[in-house]
mmCIF file of all heavy atoms in Angstrom:
data_model
loop_
_atom_site.group_PDB
_atom_site.id
_atom_site.type_symbol
_atom_site.label_atom_id
_atom_site.label_comp_id
_atom_site.label_asym_id
_atom_site.label_seq_id
_atom_site.Cartn_x
_atom_site.Cartn_y
_atom_site.Cartn_z
ATOM 1 N N LEU A 1 168.765 36.110 134.960
ATOM 2 C CA LEU A 1 168.027 35.496 133.764
ATOM 3 C C LEU A 1 166.830 36.349 133.408
ATOM 4 O O LEU A 1 166.271 36.938 134.303
ATOM 5 C CB LEU A 1 167.708 33.977 134.082
ATOM 6 C CG LEU A 1 168.831 33.195 134.449
ATOM 7 C CD1 LEU A 1 168.355 31.692 134.723
ATOM 8 C CD2 LEU A 1 169.935 33.107 133.366
ATOM 9 N N PHE A 2 166.275 36.101 132.230
ATOM 10 C CA PHE A 2 165.043 36.717 131.831
ATOM 11 C C PHE A 2 164.493 35.721 130.790
ATOM 12 O O PHE A 2 165.120 34.858 130.192
ATOM 13 C CB PHE A 2 165.274 38.070 131.231
ATOM 14 C CG PHE A 2 166.246 38.146 130.080
ATOM 15 C CD1 PHE A 2 165.816 38.018 128.732
ATOM 16 C CD2 PHE A 2 167.590 38.436 130.313
ATOM 17 C CE1 PHE A 2 166.748 38.134 127.720
ATOM 18 C CE2 PHE A 2 168.504 38.498 129.240
ATOM 19 C CZ PHE A 2 168.103 38.350 128.009
ATOM 20 N N LEU A 3 163.153 35.905 130.455
ATOM 21 C CA LEU A 3 162.339 35.027 129.572
ATOM 22 C C LEU A 3 161.770 35.826 128.520
ATOM 23 O O LEU A 3 161.181 36.908 128.739
ATOM 24 C CB LEU A 3 161.182 34.378 130.485
ATOM 25 C CG LEU A 3 160.204 33.605 129.682
ATOM 26 C CD1 LEU A 3 160.880 32.394 128.961
ATOM 27 C CD2 LEU A 3 159.081 33.133 130.549
ATOM 28 N N ASP A 4 161.997 35.405 127.283
ATOM 29 C CA ASP A 4 161.421 35.854 126.110
ATOM 30 C C ASP A 4 160.437 34.791 125.514
ATOM 31 O O ASP A 4 160.828 33.592 125.368
ATOM 32 C CB ASP A 4 162.416 36.206 124.966
ATOM 33 C CG ASP A 4 163.373 37.343 125.347
ATOM 34 O OD1 ASP A 4 162.745 38.278 126.010
ATOM 35 O OD2 ASP A 4 164.515 37.342 125.057
ATOM 36 N N PHE A 5 159.220 35.287 125.289
ATOM 37 C CA PHE A 5 158.186 34.275 124.823
ATOM 38 C C PHE A 5 157.375 34.787 123.671
ATOM 39 O O PHE A 5 157.234 35.966 123.411
ATOM 40 C CB PHE A 5 157.279 33.840 125.934
ATOM 41 C CG PHE A 5 156.462 34.921 126.626
ATOM 42 C CD1 PHE A 5 155.121 35.189 126.166
ATOM 43 C CD2 PHE A 5 156.981 35.692 127.564
ATOM 44 C CE1 PHE A 5 154.418 36.200 126.626
ATOM 45 C CE2 PHE A 5 156.220 36.728 128.197
ATOM 46 C CZ PHE A 5 154.900 36.925 127.710
ATOM 47 N N ILE A 6 156.892 33.793 122.925
ATOM 48 C CA ILE A 6 155.938 34.242 121.604
ATOM 49 C C ILE A 6 154.669 33.611 121.805
ATOM 50 O O ILE A 6 154.607 32.375 122.112
ATOM 51 C CB ILE A 6 156.761 33.816 120.430
ATOM 52 C CG1 ILE A 6 158.081 34.481 120.318
ATOM 53 C CG2 ILE A 6 155.883 34.043 119.250
ATOM 54 C CD1 ILE A 6 158.893 33.987 119.087
ATOM 55 N N VAL A 7 153.652 34.401 121.615
ATOM 56 C CA VAL A 7 152.186 33.846 121.599
ATOM 57 C C VAL A 7 151.816 33.778 120.037
ATOM 58 O O VAL A 7 151.759 34.803 119.533
ATOM 59 C CB VAL A 7 151.321 34.722 122.385
ATOM 60 C CG1 VAL A 7 149.865 34.257 122.351
ATOM 61 C CG2 VAL A 7 151.758 34.957 123.825
ATOM 62 N N SER A 8 151.592 32.565 119.658
ATOM 63 C CA SER A 8 151.234 32.346 118.219
ATOM 64 C C SER A 8 149.696 32.185 118.190
ATOM 65 O O SER A 8 149.099 31.448 118.907
ATOM 66 C CB SER A 8 151.946 31.081 117.711
ATOM 67 O OG SER A 8 153.327 31.258 117.828
ATOM 68 N N LEU A 9 149.000 32.991 117.246
ATOM 69 C CA LEU A 9 147.619 32.910 117.030
ATOM 70 C C LEU A 9 147.365 33.120 115.609
ATOM 71 O O LEU A 9 148.132 33.580 114.867
ATOM 72 C CB LEU A 9 146.860 33.850 117.875
ATOM 73 C CG LEU A 9 147.119 35.414 117.696
ATOM 74 C CD1 LEU A 9 145.988 36.180 118.193
ATOM 75 C CD2 LEU A 9 148.379 35.842 118.436
ATOM 76 N N VAL A 10 146.098 32.888 115.130
ATOM 77 C CA VAL A 10 145.669 33.014 113.819
ATOM 78 C C VAL A 10 145.902 34.558 113.524
ATOM 79 O O VAL A 10 145.291 35.430 114.187
ATOM 80 C CB VAL A 10 144.301 32.570 113.491
ATOM 81 C CG1 VAL A 10 143.892 32.901 112.104
ATOM 82 C CG2 VAL A 10 144.173 31.075 113.762
ATOM 83 N N GLY A 11 146.643 34.940 112.509
ATOM 84 C CA GLY A 11 146.737 36.315 112.140
ATOM 85 C C GLY A 11 148.118 36.838 112.548
ATOM 86 O O GLY A 11 148.439 37.999 112.174
ATOM 87 N N GLY A 12 148.969 36.052 113.203
ATOM 88 C CA GLY A 12 150.235 36.707 113.555
ATOM 89 C C GLY A 12 150.683 36.195 115.031
ATOM 90 O O GLY A 12 149.930 35.475 115.714
ATOM 91 N N ASP A 13 151.890 36.630 115.292
ATOM 92 C CA ASP A 13 152.505 36.361 116.635
ATOM 93 C C ASP A 13 152.592 37.570 117.400
ATOM 94 O O ASP A 13 152.806 38.752 116.910
ATOM 95 C CB ASP A 13 153.917 35.755 116.439
ATOM 96 C CG ASP A 13 153.838 34.410 115.651
ATOM 97 O OD1 ASP A 13 152.720 33.745 115.743
ATOM 98 O OD2 ASP A 13 154.879 33.923 115.173
ATOM 99 N N VAL A 14 152.434 37.411 118.767
ATOM 100 C CA VAL A 14 152.647 38.481 119.757
ATOM 101 C C VAL A 14 153.874 38.122 120.610
ATOM 102 O O VAL A 14 153.905 36.982 121.256
ATOM 103 C CB VAL A 14 151.369 38.702 120.457
ATOM 104 C CG1 VAL A 14 151.649 39.746 121.470
ATOM 105 C CG2 VAL A 14 150.213 39.064 119.707
ATOM 106 N N LYS A 15 154.858 39.016 120.840
ATOM 107 C CA LYS A 15 156.004 38.820 121.573
ATOM 108 C C LYS A 15 155.903 39.451 122.948
ATOM 109 O O LYS A 15 155.242 40.440 123.122
ATOM 110 C CB LYS A 15 157.251 39.296 120.843
ATOM 111 C CG LYS A 15 157.631 38.631 119.618
ATOM 112 C CD LYS A 15 158.951 39.231 119.009
ATOM 113 C CE LYS A 15 159.356 38.570 117.729
ATOM 114 N NZ LYS A 15 160.540 39.060 117.178
ATOM 115 N N GLY A 16 156.403 38.747 123.969
ATOM 116 C CA GLY A 16 156.483 39.208 125.272
ATOM 117 C C GLY A 16 157.680 38.850 126.049
ATOM 118 O O GLY A 16 158.458 37.996 125.495
ATOM 119 N N SER A 17 157.960 39.521 127.055
ATOM 120 C CA SER A 17 159.142 39.222 127.930
ATOM 121 C C SER A 17 158.799 39.343 129.359
ATOM 122 O O SER A 17 157.809 39.944 129.769
ATOM 123 C CB SER A 17 160.174 40.280 127.644
ATOM 124 O OG SER A 17 159.819 41.557 127.870
ATOM 125 N N CYS A 18 159.551 38.715 130.319
ATOM 126 C CA CYS A 18 159.321 38.567 131.691
ATOM 127 C C CYS A 18 160.626 38.596 132.357
ATOM 128 O O CYS A 18 161.531 37.778 132.083
ATOM 129 C CB CYS A 18 158.509 37.324 131.862
ATOM 130 S SG CYS A 18 157.653 37.376 133.470
ATOM 131 N N GLN A 19 160.666 39.416 133.405
ATOM 132 C CA GLN A 19 161.954 39.578 134.316
ATOM 133 C C GLN A 19 161.810 38.620 135.494
ATOM 134 O O GLN A 19 160.769 38.086 135.755
ATOM 135 C CB GLN A 19 162.171 40.948 134.728
ATOM 136 C CG GLN A 19 162.278 42.029 133.556
ATOM 137 C CD GLN A 19 163.365 41.746 132.704
ATOM 138 O OE1 GLN A 19 164.462 41.317 133.156
ATOM 139 N NE2 GLN A 19 163.205 41.926 131.299
ATOM 140 N N ALA A 20 162.986 38.363 136.105
ATOM 141 C CA ALA A 20 162.945 37.462 137.158
ATOM 142 C C ALA A 20 162.155 37.943 138.447
ATOM 143 O O ALA A 20 161.691 37.056 139.233
ATOM 144 C CB ALA A 20 164.360 37.161 137.620
ATOM 145 N N ASP A 21 161.973 39.231 138.525
ATOM 146 C CA ASP A 21 161.278 39.722 139.744
ATOM 147 C C ASP A 21 159.782 39.802 139.587
ATOM 148 O O ASP A 21 158.970 40.175 140.473
ATOM 149 C CB ASP A 21 161.657 41.163 140.107
ATOM 150 C CG ASP A 21 161.506 42.071 138.848
ATOM 151 O OD1 ASP A 21 161.301 41.680 137.856
ATOM 152 O OD2 ASP A 21 161.647 43.303 139.195
ATOM 153 N N GLN A 22 159.192 39.380 138.348
ATOM 154 C CA GLN A 22 157.773 39.448 138.137
ATOM 155 C C GLN A 22 157.138 38.081 138.567
ATOM 156 O O GLN A 22 157.691 37.018 138.378
ATOM 157 C CB GLN A 22 157.400 39.621 136.611
ATOM 158 C CG GLN A 22 157.867 41.013 136.133
ATOM 159 C CD GLN A 22 157.528 41.144 134.693
ATOM 160 O OE1 GLN A 22 158.546 41.407 133.819
ATOM 161 N NE2 GLN A 22 156.445 40.914 134.305
ATOM 162 N N GLU A 23 156.010 38.245 139.207
ATOM 163 C CA GLU A 23 155.306 37.021 139.722
ATOM 164 C C GLU A 23 154.559 36.329 138.598
ATOM 165 O O GLU A 23 154.497 35.072 138.557
ATOM 166 C CB GLU A 23 154.311 37.456 140.790
ATOM 167 C CG GLU A 23 153.610 36.231 141.486
ATOM 168 C CD GLU A 23 154.441 35.503 142.374
ATOM 169 O OE1 GLU A 23 155.444 36.006 142.754
ATOM 170 O OE2 GLU A 23 154.130 34.317 142.717
ATOM 171 N N THR A 24 153.971 37.097 137.716
ATOM 172 C CA THR A 24 153.180 36.532 136.539
ATOM 173 C C THR A 24 153.659 37.185 135.253
ATOM 174 O O THR A 24 153.782 38.373 135.222
ATOM 175 C CB THR A 24 151.696 36.737 136.737
ATOM 176 O OG1 THR A 24 151.323 36.183 138.075
ATOM 177 C CG2 THR A 24 150.870 36.034 135.725
ATOM 178 N N CYS A 25 153.680 36.390 134.181
ATOM 179 C CA CYS A 25 153.942 36.972 132.922
ATOM 180 C C CYS A 25 152.721 37.031 132.111
ATOM 181 O O CYS A 25 151.960 36.114 132.099
ATOM 182 C CB CYS A 25 154.966 35.954 132.123
ATOM 183 S SG CYS A 25 156.594 35.664 133.043
ATOM 184 N N ARG A 26 152.479 38.156 131.345
ATOM 185 C CA ARG A 26 151.232 38.377 130.653
ATOM 186 C C ARG A 26 151.432 39.256 129.458
ATOM 187 O O ARG A 26 152.394 40.028 129.412
ATOM 188 C CB ARG A 26 150.247 39.069 131.685
ATOM 189 C CG ARG A 26 150.541 40.376 132.199
ATOM 190 C CD ARG A 26 149.638 40.853 133.215
ATOM 191 N NE ARG A 26 149.778 39.913 134.422
ATOM 192 C CZ ARG A 26 148.895 39.991 135.503
ATOM 193 N NH1 ARG A 26 147.884 40.806 135.444
ATOM 194 N NH2 ARG A 26 149.119 39.166 136.474
ATOM 195 N N VAL A 27 150.437 39.127 128.545
ATOM 196 C CA VAL A 27 150.516 39.901 127.300
ATOM 197 C C VAL A 27 149.013 39.967 126.855
ATOM 198 O O VAL A 27 148.332 39.008 127.034
ATOM 199 C CB VAL A 27 151.433 39.331 126.247
ATOM 200 C CG1 VAL A 27 150.907 38.010 125.773
ATOM 201 C CG2 VAL A 27 151.662 40.294 125.171
ATOM 202 N N ASP A 28 148.649 41.122 126.227
ATOM 203 C CA ASP A 28 147.342 41.255 125.609
ATOM 204 C C ASP A 28 147.409 40.871 124.114
ATOM 205 O O ASP A 28 148.337 41.130 123.478
ATOM 206 C CB ASP A 28 146.815 42.768 125.724
ATOM 207 C CG ASP A 28 146.666 43.117 127.202
ATOM 208 O OD1 ASP A 28 146.539 42.240 128.020
ATOM 209 O OD2 ASP A 28 146.667 44.345 127.426
ATOM 210 N N VAL A 29 146.326 40.211 123.654
ATOM 211 C CA VAL A 29 146.175 39.720 122.313
ATOM 212 C C VAL A 29 144.843 40.180 121.816
ATOM 213 O O VAL A 29 143.834 40.233 122.504
ATOM 214 C CB VAL A 29 146.335 38.222 122.171
ATOM 215 C CG1 VAL A 29 147.854 37.825 122.592
ATOM 216 C CG2 VAL A 29 145.310 37.428 122.940
ATOM 217 N N ASP A 30 144.692 40.277 120.377
ATOM 218 C CA ASP A 30 143.513 40.511 119.728
ATOM 219 C C ASP A 30 143.165 39.500 118.732
ATOM 220 O O ASP A 30 144.100 39.204 117.884
ATOM 221 C CB ASP A 30 143.535 41.821 119.063
ATOM 222 C CG ASP A 30 143.586 43.010 120.029
ATOM 223 O OD1 ASP A 30 142.919 42.961 121.082
ATOM 224 O OD2 ASP A 30 144.345 43.997 119.725
ATOM 225 N N PHE A 31 142.122 38.668 118.849
ATOM 226 C CA PHE A 31 141.768 37.750 117.842
ATOM 227 C C PHE A 31 140.941 38.392 116.750
ATOM 228 O O PHE A 31 140.009 39.190 116.970
ATOM 229 C CB PHE A 31 140.936 36.610 118.449
ATOM 230 C CG PHE A 31 141.695 35.867 119.519
ATOM 231 C CD1 PHE A 31 141.504 36.138 120.843
ATOM 232 C CD2 PHE A 31 142.647 34.812 119.103
ATOM 233 C CE1 PHE A 31 142.200 35.307 121.770
ATOM 234 C CE2 PHE A 31 143.195 34.069 120.057
ATOM 235 C CZ PHE A 31 143.129 34.306 121.327
ATOM 236 N N PRO A 32 141.234 37.984 115.483
ATOM 237 C CA PRO A 32 140.319 38.401 114.339
ATOM 238 C C PRO A 32 138.975 37.742 114.446
ATOM 239 O O PRO A 32 138.805 36.776 115.140
ATOM 240 C CB PRO A 32 141.137 37.938 113.120
ATOM 241 C CG PRO A 32 142.553 37.584 113.519
ATOM 242 C CD PRO A 32 142.364 37.153 115.067
ATOM 243 N N ASP A 33 138.104 38.487 113.827
ATOM 244 C CA ASP A 33 136.645 38.033 113.859
ATOM 245 C C ASP A 33 136.591 36.656 113.113
ATOM 246 O O ASP A 33 137.175 36.603 112.010
ATOM 247 C CB ASP A 33 135.748 39.044 113.363
ATOM 248 C CG ASP A 33 135.663 40.273 114.129
ATOM 249 O OD1 ASP A 33 135.998 40.223 115.310
ATOM 250 O OD2 ASP A 33 135.352 41.356 113.616
ATOM 251 N N GLY A 34 135.720 35.791 113.668
ATOM 252 C CA GLY A 34 135.436 34.522 112.866
ATOM 253 C C GLY A 34 136.532 33.533 112.973
ATOM 254 O O GLY A 34 136.451 32.611 112.167
ATOM 255 N N VAL A 35 137.478 33.571 113.896
ATOM 256 C CA VAL A 35 138.499 32.575 114.051
ATOM 257 C C VAL A 35 138.454 31.859 115.397
ATOM 258 O O VAL A 35 137.844 32.512 116.295
ATOM 259 C CB VAL A 35 139.930 33.124 113.670
ATOM 260 C CG1 VAL A 35 139.966 33.752 112.327
ATOM 261 C CG2 VAL A 35 140.272 34.181 114.678
ATOM 262 N N ASP A 36 139.095 30.761 115.546
ATOM 263 C CA ASP A 36 139.114 30.165 116.875
ATOM 264 C C ASP A 36 140.086 31.004 117.662
ATOM 265 O O ASP A 36 141.234 31.419 117.329
ATOM 266 C CB ASP A 36 139.753 28.703 116.698
ATOM 267 C CG ASP A 36 138.780 27.756 115.977
ATOM 268 O OD1 ASP A 36 137.619 28.105 115.999
ATOM 269 O OD2 ASP A 36 139.202 26.764 115.273
ATOM 270 N N GLN A 37 139.615 31.265 118.951
ATOM 271 C CA GLN A 37 140.365 32.141 119.917
ATOM 272 C C GLN A 37 141.230 31.153 120.685
ATOM 273 O O GLN A 37 141.045 31.003 121.862
ATOM 274 C CB GLN A 37 139.378 32.911 120.779
ATOM 275 C CG GLN A 37 138.604 33.836 119.944
ATOM 276 C CD GLN A 37 137.566 34.649 120.867
ATOM 277 O OE1 GLN A 37 137.122 34.168 121.922
ATOM 278 N NE2 GLN A 37 137.179 35.794 120.402
ATOM 279 N N CYS A 38 142.279 30.746 119.987
ATOM 280 C CA CYS A 38 143.306 29.860 120.644
ATOM 281 C C CYS A 38 144.701 30.312 120.346
ATOM 282 O O CYS A 38 144.873 30.945 119.362
ATOM 283 C CB CYS A 38 143.208 28.396 120.026
ATOM 284 S SG CYS A 38 141.553 27.583 120.359
ATOM 285 N N VAL A 39 145.668 29.953 121.282
ATOM 286 C CA VAL A 39 146.994 30.414 121.181
ATOM 287 C C VAL A 39 147.894 29.241 121.496
ATOM 288 O O VAL A 39 147.592 28.277 122.106
ATOM 289 C CB VAL A 39 147.167 31.597 122.171
ATOM 290 C CG1 VAL A 39 146.394 32.734 121.843
ATOM 291 C CG2 VAL A 39 147.105 31.069 123.634
ATOM 292 N N LYS A 40 149.169 29.357 121.039
ATOM 293 C CA LYS A 40 150.326 28.471 121.344
ATOM 294 C C LYS A 40 151.471 29.297 121.869
ATOM 295 O O LYS A 40 151.677 30.453 121.376
ATOM 296 C CB LYS A 40 150.732 27.553 120.151
ATOM 297 C CG LYS A 40 149.678 26.680 119.673
ATOM 298 C CD LYS A 40 150.271 25.853 118.452
ATOM 299 C CE LYS A 40 149.198 24.892 117.907
ATOM 300 N NZ LYS A 40 149.772 24.220 116.704
ATOM 301 N N LEU A 41 152.237 28.758 122.817
ATOM 302 C CA LEU A 41 153.243 29.554 123.410
ATOM 303 C C LEU A 41 154.604 28.742 123.361
ATOM 304 O O LEU A 41 154.608 27.500 123.563
ATOM 305 C CB LEU A 41 153.031 29.885 124.881
ATOM 306 C CG LEU A 41 152.206 31.186 125.145
ATOM 307 C CD1 LEU A 41 150.753 30.884 124.927
ATOM 308 C CD2 LEU A 41 152.370 31.671 126.545
ATOM 309 N N ASN A 42 155.665 29.395 123.090
ATOM 310 C CA ASN A 42 157.087 28.970 123.260
ATOM 311 C C ASN A 42 157.891 29.995 123.673
ATOM 312 O O ASN A 42 157.526 31.283 123.606
ATOM 313 C CB ASN A 42 157.568 28.191 121.907
ATOM 314 C CG ASN A 42 157.615 29.248 120.778
ATOM 315 O OD1 ASN A 42 157.586 30.334 120.948
ATOM 316 N ND2 ASN A 42 157.569 28.596 119.556
ATOM 317 N N GLY A 43 159.097 29.708 124.206
ATOM 318 C CA GLY A 43 159.989 30.660 124.738
ATOM 319 C C GLY A 43 161.343 30.205 124.913
ATOM 320 O O GLY A 43 161.654 29.084 124.806
ATOM 321 N N THR A 44 162.189 31.189 125.352
ATOM 322 C CA THR A 44 163.558 30.890 125.564
ATOM 323 C C THR A 44 164.064 31.653 126.877
ATOM 324 O O THR A 44 163.816 32.919 127.140
ATOM 325 C CB THR A 44 164.385 31.340 124.484
ATOM 326 O OG1 THR A 44 163.954 30.689 123.289
ATOM 327 C CG2 THR A 44 165.934 30.953 124.651
ATOM 328 N N ILE A 45 164.834 31.020 127.682
ATOM 329 C CA ILE A 45 165.459 31.625 128.883
ATOM 330 C C ILE A 45 166.920 32.007 128.514
ATOM 331 O O ILE A 45 167.636 31.056 128.003
ATOM 332 C CB ILE A 45 165.385 30.766 130.155
ATOM 333 C CG1 ILE A 45 163.929 30.644 130.634
ATOM 334 C CG2 ILE A 45 166.362 31.273 131.205
ATOM 335 C CD1 ILE A 45 163.706 29.780 131.786
ATOM 336 N N SER A 46 167.406 33.160 128.891
ATOM 337 C CA SER A 46 168.660 33.586 128.455
ATOM 338 C C SER A 46 169.347 34.330 129.567
ATOM 339 O O SER A 46 168.664 34.853 130.464
ATOM 340 C CB SER A 46 168.683 34.420 127.154
ATOM 341 O OG SER A 46 168.055 33.689 126.184
ATOM 342 N N ASP A 47 170.723 34.532 129.532
ATOM 343 C CA ASP A 47 171.303 35.381 130.373
ATOM 344 C C ASP A 47 171.901 36.550 129.608
ATOM 345 O O ASP A 47 171.562 36.674 128.501
ATOM 346 C CB ASP A 47 172.504 34.620 131.172
ATOM 347 C CG ASP A 47 173.518 34.028 130.171
ATOM 348 O OD1 ASP A 47 173.294 34.102 128.965
ATOM 349 O OD2 ASP A 47 174.642 33.553 130.612
ATOM 350 N N ASN A 48 172.755 37.349 130.204
ATOM 351 C CA ASN A 48 173.264 38.540 129.497
ATOM 352 C C ASN A 48 174.109 38.106 128.276
ATOM 353 O O ASN A 48 174.199 38.899 127.318
ATOM 354 C CB ASN A 48 174.122 39.369 130.469
ATOM 355 C CG ASN A 48 173.249 40.025 131.480
ATOM 356 O OD1 ASN A 48 172.023 40.252 131.324
ATOM 357 N ND2 ASN A 48 173.783 40.294 132.694
#
């Protein structure tokens, strides 16, 4: 299995993925100036 996730923030979405052997899933984001630095996440687990 593997995990695909989306980080939603003001100004656009950032996609990330995570394999089963990874301990932590992470992704870098950039917030536009003058906006709330908040995110929302959703994702999907799939097989081949």
